[in-house]
Amino acid sequence: MENQQRTNDGKSPDRKILSEVGENGVAIITINRPPLNLLSVDVLLSLKEKIEEAIRKDSVKAIVITGSRGNFSAGFVVTAFGGSQQRKTHRELGFMSVDFITDTLEASRKPIVAAVEGFSLGGGFEIALACHARISTSTSKLGLPELQYGILPGFGGTQRLPRLVGLPKALEMILTSKRISGDEACNMCLVDAISPSDQLLGSACQWALDILECRRPWSISLFRTDRLAPLAEARTLLNSVRAQIQKQNPNVIHPLVCIDVIEHGILCGPRNGLWKEAEALHELRQSDSCRSLVHVFFAKQSTSKIPGITDIGLLPRKINKVAILGGSLMSSGIATVLVLANYYVIMKYIDQNSLQNGIGRVKANLEGRVKEGRMTQEHYKKVCTLLKGVLSYDNFKDVDLVIEDVPDVVSLKQQFFADLDECCPLHCIFASTTCIVNLDLIGERMKPCREIVGIHFFSSPSVTDLLEIVRTERTSPQTLVDLLNFGKRIQKTPIVVQNCTGFAVRRMCFPYLQAAMLLVEHGADAYQIDKALTSFGLKLGPFRMLDQDGFQSAGVHDVKFLETFPDRSYKSNLIPIMRKNNRAGKYTCQGFYTYNDKEEASPDPEISKYIEMARSMSGITIKSKVKK
């Protein structure tokens, strides 16, 4: 091979991109910005230079693009989306999409093959899409996550992906930022072949030579039409997806812009679509949504960086087997999340009937994913083998984590943890989902060497990506590192909080919910409040949120906050009155709303009489300004 440290002009090479030519005449061009090989304008310019150089060389027959140290490329540096680089890079990005990705890379007179391993996301994935073939490992992760940052794919992803996999699958991947494995990509013909990691480069080089010798097809992704539906069918689908997005997120614009760009390419041709994509990217990168979502991205990143905990060199211990105590809906939801993340889960119940119901709920959750097309029947069967229901502690000898989710009765919880103390290994982490009982009190009957933490999932666990980890004075740095890693593995955003009233999430929600109660009791309409806040952009208004959480939980938390913050709390009688009248929220199909068999909410006129009773008990008179 040519010495990869030598260049034509004798100058020191740019180490962001490496290039070497093998004896077979294939130039291997490597994106070299480990660990994730992130892109920037400078990296793209260097990549363009290396590809153009390889195209010019007579000794080069074909080209393979890959990434260093096990990753192809995880995409563009996020700071370029909504941050300080926006004025500098918007022109270059549009230029790169057409002049480089399309007119240099894809239009190359020599075949170019992408050798994909590890992460191939965003702009990195779009580079692979423009290659004439893609060879991947089975475990690679491919996707276009740009909508998570308030923008859209800007290197041709809106035009090439629909032409490679069809419009329905492309819309799903782009609009949900869905990542797929190499195996999944191969099944949908997004990659051409699967290769083991140690044979990936060899396979990609051979594929490129086969294209050159006409033994493999030379595919130009941008101009393929065989996977596109007829125009009328495509427009019907696009309009349907538009309507669905407008209903779910009426204040969010960038998914609609993305759909418009995809449609423009179908109607006016892919090259026109590329320019439309570049213009839309420039506009969206300057939007408030983009800046806010980029802020959220970095905020999420910062939650896993805790001074004195994550910066002292501790490595997370493996958590393979998790036990869950409790038969609630939350327990079943947590178990569903864990088995989907490939954890072996034991669910302990007090009797056979509870066991059957609990395991049945988990399987129903998984079956729902199969019906929705989010899981194959084969995957369903595999995941179900990770789940086991038990009535005793016999299987707890090798568990790594126990999550207790039993009713908030101190003596009951203390007994459970005393029993666990006797049957679980010393390395096992004990966690409770309680939001009310003091964690130090729960662990009083355990051995002094044991520690206990809080671990809070939110309703519903499969949808909400937040995970609250509560530390006490006895919680070790190692345990926190273990749980932070656990949170990431189950695709949650873990936040570590202190052991205090309300912790973080409920402490923020409490004044919000109290304000809603105060307004209603002084004359505001509950449903108008919910409508105003969902119109503002929240998924649920305060009263739908209370129904979702359940009135028992809300009532207990009200008492706790009133005790802790008597001078800063508003005492409302509305929830206690509704509970006395057998209303407990969504779980009983009657709260502030009524719920049908499909769990659809409808306003309930009877609510007005309970509000009037609460006013009467508190001696409140309606204020005309509030009622308006």
Side-chain angles (χ1 to χ4, degrees), residues 488-594:
K488 291 177 182 177
R489 273 194 62 188
I490 60 174
Q491 298 182 23
K492 303 296 181 188
T493 301
I495 59 169
V496 177
V497 300
Q498 296 287 352
N499 184 22
C500 60
T501 300
F503 310 110
V505 175
R506 290 190 180 274
R507 210 176 183 105
M508 289 188 290
C509 287
F510 184 69
Y512 166 70
L513 297 174
Q514 286 232 308
M517 289 292 188
L518 183 146
L519 288 170
V520 162
E521 292 189 12
H522 284 80
D525 181 271
Y527 304 118
Q528 287 184 356
I529 292 173
D530 271 5
K531 185 177 180 181
L533 287 161
T534 51
S535 297
F536 177 70
L538 299 183
K539 288 193 174 181
L540 294 176
F543 297 101
R544 281 291 303 278
M545 185 188 292
L546 285 164
D547 276 3
Q548 185 85 15
D549 198 26
F551 290 176
Q552 180 178 1
S553 174
V556 173
H557 284 101
D558 278 352
V559 171
K560 195 73 176 175
F561 274 94
L562 284 166
E563 290 174 353
T564 308
F565 308 110
D567 299 331
R568 290 190 279 160
S569 300
Y570 173 73
K571 185 177 181 180
S572 170
N573 293 304
L574 184 52
I575 293 290
I577 287 171
M578 293 175 73
R579 288 182 66 190
K580 286 180 181 178
N581 284 271
N582 299 317
R583 286 176 176 262
K586 186 177 178 180
Y587 181 66
T588 58
C589 299
Q590 282 190 314
F592 285 96
Y593 295 78
T594 57

Side-chain angles (χ1 to χ4, degrees), residues 368-387:
R369 296 175 71 89
V370 175
K371 290 177 182 177
E372 294 168 3
R374 298 161 62 196
M375 175 185 278
T376 64
Q377 191 67 34
E378 182 182 356
H379 189 201
Y380 167 79
K381 291 178 180 177
K382 180 181 178 181
V383 166
C384 285
T385 63
L386 299 174
L387 182 68

Side-chain angles (χ1 to χ4, degrees), residues 299-312:
K300 285 184 174 182
Q301 295 284 304
S302 67
T303 64
S304 59
K305 298 174 183 178
I306 306 172
I309 301 294
T310 58
D311 56 359
I312 59 176

Side-chain angles (χ1 to χ4, degrees), residues 389-585:
V390 300
L391 299 175
S392 70
Y393 292 109
D394 293 345
N395 294 93
F396 281 54
K397 295 176 182 178
D398 58 348
V399 294
D400 304 303
L401 170 65
V402 176
I403 300 174
E404 169 270 310
D405 185 44
V406 301
D408 285 317
V409 178
V410 174
S411 59
L412 180 65
K413 288 180 179 289
Q414 287 179 333
Q415 183 58 55
F416 271 116
F417 279 105
D419 294 340
L420 290 168
D421 195 14
E422 296 299 324
C423 61
C424 293
L426 286 176
H427 74 270
C428 180
I429 299 170
F430 289 169
S432 174
T433 62
T434 183
C435 294
I436 298 164
V437 183
N438 187 293
L439 292 170
D440 292 323
L441 185 61
I442 292 174
E444 277 189 352
R445 293 169 58 182
M446 298 190 307
K447 296 183 181 75
C449 62
R450 291 282 193 188
E451 54 185 280
I452 187 170
V453 296
I455 189 164
H456 300 153
F457 292 79
F458 297 90
S459 185
S460 70
S462 60
V463 175
T464 310
D465 72 347
L466 188 64
L467 181 71
E468 205 171 46
I469 300 168
V470 186
R471 63 191 295 187
T472 69
E473 292 183 1
R474 292 170 59 183
T475 306
S476 68
Q478 182 64 63
T479 295
L480 293 177
V481 168
D482 296 342
L483 290 176
L484 285 168
N485 186 62
F486 168 76
K488 291 177 182 177
R489 273 194 62 188
I490 60 174
Q491 298 182 23
K492 303 296 181 188
T493 301
I495 59 169
V496 177
V497 300
Q498 296 287 352
N499 184 22
C500 60
T501 300
F503 310 110
V505 175
R506 290 190 180 274
R507 210 176 183 105
M508 289 188 290
C509 287
F510 184 69
Y512 166 70
L513 297 174
Q514 286 232 308
M517 289 292 188
L518 183 146
L519 288 170
V520 162
E521 292 189 12
H522 284 80
D525 181 271
Y527 304 118
Q528 287 184 356
I529 292 173
D530 271 5
K531 185 177 180 181
L533 287 161
T534 51
S535 297
F536 177 70
L538 299 183
K539 288 193 174 181
L540 294 176
F543 297 101
R544 281 291 303 278
M545 185 188 292
L546 285 164
D547 276 3
Q548 185 85 15
D549 198 26
F551 290 176
Q552 180 178 1
S553 174
V556 173
H557 284 101
D558 278 352
V559 171
K560 195 73 176 175
F561 274 94
L562 284 166
E563 290 174 353
T564 308
F565 308 110
D567 299 331
R568 290 190 279 160
S569 300
Y570 173 73
K571 185 177 181 180
S572 170
N573 293 304
L574 184 52
I575 293 290
I577 287 171
M578 293 175 73
R579 288 182 66 190
K580 286 180 181 178
N581 284 271
N582 299 317
R583 286 176 176 262

Side-chain angles (χ1 to χ4, degrees), residues 96-111:
M96 285 291 175
S97 175
V98 178
D99 184 77
F100 168 40
I101 303 293
T102 303
D103 292 346
T104 301
L105 192 158
E106 193 169 40
S108 166
R109 59 186 173 83
K110 297 178 180 179

Side-chain angles (χ1 to χ4, degrees), residues 272-287:
N272 281 325
L274 290 177
W275 285 113
K276 183 77 171 177
E277 179 189 81
E279 292 169 5
L281 176 64
H282 172 48
E283 294 298 322
L284 289 174
R285 288 175 61 246
Q286 300 177 75
S287 68

Side-chain angles (χ1 to χ4, degrees), residues 234-376:
R235 297 192 79 167
T236 299
L237 174 60
L238 290 167
N239 288 333
S240 173
V241 174
R242 270 195 197 96
Q244 185 179 359
I245 288 173
Q246 288 172 324
K247 182 179 179 180
Q248 292 176 343
N249 298 292
N251 297 314
V252 178
I253 297 173
H254 59 281
L256 300 176
V257 173
C258 184
I259 293 172
D260 291 343
V261 169
I262 293 171
E263 184 174 45
H264 187 83
I266 294 172
L267 294 176
C268 304
R271 194 169 181 88
N272 281 325
L274 290 177
W275 285 113
K276 183 77 171 177
E277 179 189 81
E279 292 169 5
L281 176 64
H282 172 48
E283 294 298 322
L284 289 174
R285 288 175 61 246
Q286 300 177 75
S287 68
D288 289 339
S289 292
C290 179
R291 282 189 285 271
S292 298
L293 288 169
V294 168
H295 170 78
V296 169
F297 170 80
F298 285 111
K300 285 184 174 182
Q301 295 284 304
S302 67
T303 64
S304 59
K305 298 174 183 178
I306 306 172
I309 301 294
T310 58
D311 56 359
I312 59 176
L314 293 174
L315 297 175
R317 296 173 295 185
K318 283 188 177 180
I319 294 176
N320 297 312
K321 191 174 184 180
V322 183
I324 300 174
L325 274 64
S328 68
L329 292 172
M330 179 62 77
S331 300
S332 300
I334 294 171
T336 304
V337 169
L338 296 189
V339 293
L340 285 171
N342 209 35
Y343 283 101
Y344 184 75
V345 176
I346 298 173
M347 300 189 73
K348 184 185 179 301
Y349 297 93
I350 56 174
D351 56 56
Q352 188 65 33
N353 187 51
S354 298
L355 186 153
Q356 291 176 346
N357 290 337
I359 298 295
R361 281 195 296 267
V362 178
K363 290 185 175 180
N365 292 340
L366 298 172
E367 288 165 1
R369 296 175 71 89
V370 175
K371 290 177 182 177
E372 294 168 3
R374 298 161 62 196
M375 175 185 278
T376 64

Side-chain angles (χ1 to χ4, degrees), residues 119-141:
F119 289 115
S120 178
L121 304 173
F125 183 41
E126 290 174 285
I127 289 172
L129 292 178
C131 292
H132 305 124
R134 288 154 294 282
I135 312 300
S136 172
T137 61
S138 61
T139 57
S140 295
K141 295 296 180 185

